[in-house]
Amino acid sequence: MNAYTDKSAGGGLSCLLFTLNGLDFAVDVATVREIVWLPKLTPVEEVPHYVVGVLNLRGVIAPVIDLNLRFGRVSTGYRVEHQVIVLEYASHLVGIIVDDVSDVVDIPAADIADTPMAEQKKRHPSSYICAEIKLAERIVMLLSATAVCALELDHDVIADADEGMAEVPLSPHRRFCPAATDEEMEVFRGRARELMVSPAGENGVNEKMVAVISIGKELFGIELDLIREFTEIGHVVPIPCVPRHIVGDMNLKGEILTLVDIRGLIGVPDRSGVRAEKLIVVAMDGQIIGILIDEVRDLIRISGDLAGHAGNDNYLKCTIAYDSQMLGILDLEQVIRAPELVVDEMV
């Protein structure tokens, strides 16, 4: 038993999964403010060497950490494919650069274990890996957001001036991504400009975390508090005499989960022969329903009223700007209660 399983009262932990240098990591979703594509960062002075710059997130200046440098490795440089997970720590925002954000999963407490060096780490509370997660055939390292985001000046930075110049520079990057092409730099600059702009009507209240998911080749947003968990599709038992959109039943931790394909309902073309591999699990009106999706692309935090009208589409709450396109926020309540999804047949 470790601090995370104790804290979760036996209910497990919701985690955001990401990769760095081919390794799997996770971070507690509760600490995630949002996820953005890597923008142009502004290098600053008098910061630890692993803080490679700051970004302007709608008026809030947030330091951004190169996790490779934080772990004591050599920085691998930056690409337009990189993402920044913005964590909220002690009322401050801190970004970490990662290779790819892959999924959001619920981890049972039984699958969260201490690291092999747990006893030694108790004497070093700044350890960055606080637990290990058993996820199918993988071992995922659980990142301590508290330890990673606790910025401290390097020893050489705080040394007395008469001891000479520091051996390690404050930041190894005096210019952001010097190897980037002109086209790549324009992409980075454009992202930075977009992040500086506050959404219309933002007033600091009514913020919601939204999961960006793909169904077919289309992207949609779903409010995270409506989703009980994300999971993989397991063994599905077909149900006779039901409409085509009812895929079947699946055993999920002892509960019978009905799987639903909503592509036809929301206007996404049916890709015959291509089977979704993931589910979002929704508990509503006493039912537990699994909605087929292809993948979880992103987690974003948005402000304002999501109950706006989205044209003639009854299954969208509203649309918002996202990554140079418009993202429809699904109205899950309307989707679940759609007449097309109601099974009312006598066998």
Side-chain angles (χ1 to χ4, degrees):
M1 193 67 69
N2 55 65
Y4 272 84
T5 53
D6 287 343
K7 185 176 69 175
S8 62
L13 190 70
S14 292
C15 292
L16 176 71
L17 304 182
F18 65 92
T19 59
L20 182 71
N21 295 330
L23 298 176
D24 295 317
F25 293 88
V27 65
D28 187 347
V29 163
T31 67
V32 177
R33 177 67 179 265
E34 62 185 285
I35 303 166
V36 300
W37 293 104
L38 177 65
K40 181 180 182 297
L41 304 176
T42 302
V44 291
E45 300 292 349
E46 296 186 347
V47 293
H49 72 283
Y50 47 81
V51 175
V52 292
V54 297
L55 60 81
N56 182 341
L57 189 62
R58 296 181 290 278
V60 178
I61 303 301
V64 178
I65 291 173
D66 184 325
L67 275 183
N68 281 310
L69 295 174
R70 189 61 156 137
F71 290 148
R73 304 193 191 107
V74 175
S75 177
T76 58
Y78 311 120
R79 305 185 306 275
V80 293
E81 297 85 3
H82 279 141
Q83 293 174 279
V84 177
I85 302 174
V86 181
L87 304 174
E88 191 161 9
Y89 163 74
S91 300
H92 298 287
L93 301 183
V94 178
I96 57 174
I97 300 173
V98 303
D99 290 345
D100 181 54
V101 174
S102 57
D103 209 346
V104 178
V105 295
D106 270 5
I107 308 297
D111 290 339
I112 304 175
D114 283 326
T115 65
M117 301 293 289
E119 289 302 317
Q120 290 86 339
K121 287 183 177 183
K122 289 178 181 178
R123 298 191 293 270
H124 300 278
S126 62
S127 297
Y128 308 134
I129 305 301
C130 56
E132 292 180 345
I133 294 170
K134 294 174 285 185
L135 186 63
E137 298 178 352
R138 294 182 291 165
I139 299 295
V140 178
M141 290 171 280
L142 181 60
L143 199 69
S144 168
T146 301
V148 168
C149 296
L151 308 183
E152 297 179 355
L153 288 177
D154 300 312
H155 180 268
D156 58 303
V157 174
I158 61 176
D160 293 335
D162 58 7
E163 293 183 5
M165 295 183 61
E167 294 180 3
V168 180
L170 299 182
S171 172
H173 303 283
R174 294 302 180 188
R175 183 165 67 90
F176 174 75
C177 204
T181 65
D182 292 341
E183 292 78 10
E184 290 171 333
M185 281 306 302
E186 187 53 42
V187 172
F188 288 131
R189 292 191 193 98
R191 292 172 178 173
R193 288 192 294 267
E194 290 179 4
L195 290 177
M196 293 172 61
V197 179
S198 297
E202 181 175 355
N203 55 13
V205 298
N206 200 26
E207 287 191 331
K208 282 189 175 290
M209 186 75 81
V210 170
V212 180
I213 56 102
S214 66
I215 301 177
K217 295 184 178 180
E218 303 291 330
L219 296 183
F220 297 93
I222 299 178
E223 295 163 72
L224 198 61
D225 57 3
L226 300 178
I227 301 173
R228 198 177 81 170
E229 66 179 283
F230 298 84
T231 189
E232 304 285 332
I233 296 178
H235 176 65
V236 178
V237 178
I239 306 174
C241 304
V242 295
R244 182 181 178 185
H245 53 262
I246 305 296
V247 178
D249 283 344
M250 186 182 99
N251 186 328
L252 180 67
K253 303 170 187 173
E255 296 179 292
I256 301 302
L257 180 71
T258 299
L259 276 54
V260 177
D261 185 346
I262 66 170
R263 286 177 298 181
L265 186 67
I266 60 177
V268 174
D270 184 357
R271 299 175 298 155
S272 299
V274 179
R275 182 192 177 201
E277 296 182 352
K278 297 183 180 180
L279 296 170
I280 54 172
V281 180
V282 180
M284 194 173 295
D285 293 340
Q287 304 178 74
I288 303 174
I289 297 174
I291 298 176
L292 275 64
I293 66 172
D294 289 309
E295 62 178 324
V296 183
R297 290 285 189 89
D298 209 345
L299 279 183
I300 58 175
R301 189 181 295 267
I302 61 178
S303 301
D305 187 6
L306 294 184
H309 188 47
N312 295 323
D313 196 330
N314 294 326
Y315 303 113
L316 293 182
K317 282 191 172 184
C318 62
T319 56
I320 62 172
Y322 169 76
D323 196 25
S324 303
Q325 63 180 299
M326 298 307 294
L327 179 73
I329 306 299
L330 284 177
D331 188 335
L332 274 191
E333 291 189 19
Q334 293 299 320
V335 169
I336 297 303
R337 294 168 183 164
E340 295 91 331
L341 298 187
V342 175
V343 178
D344 187 17
E345 300 182 5
M346 297 294 293
V347 179

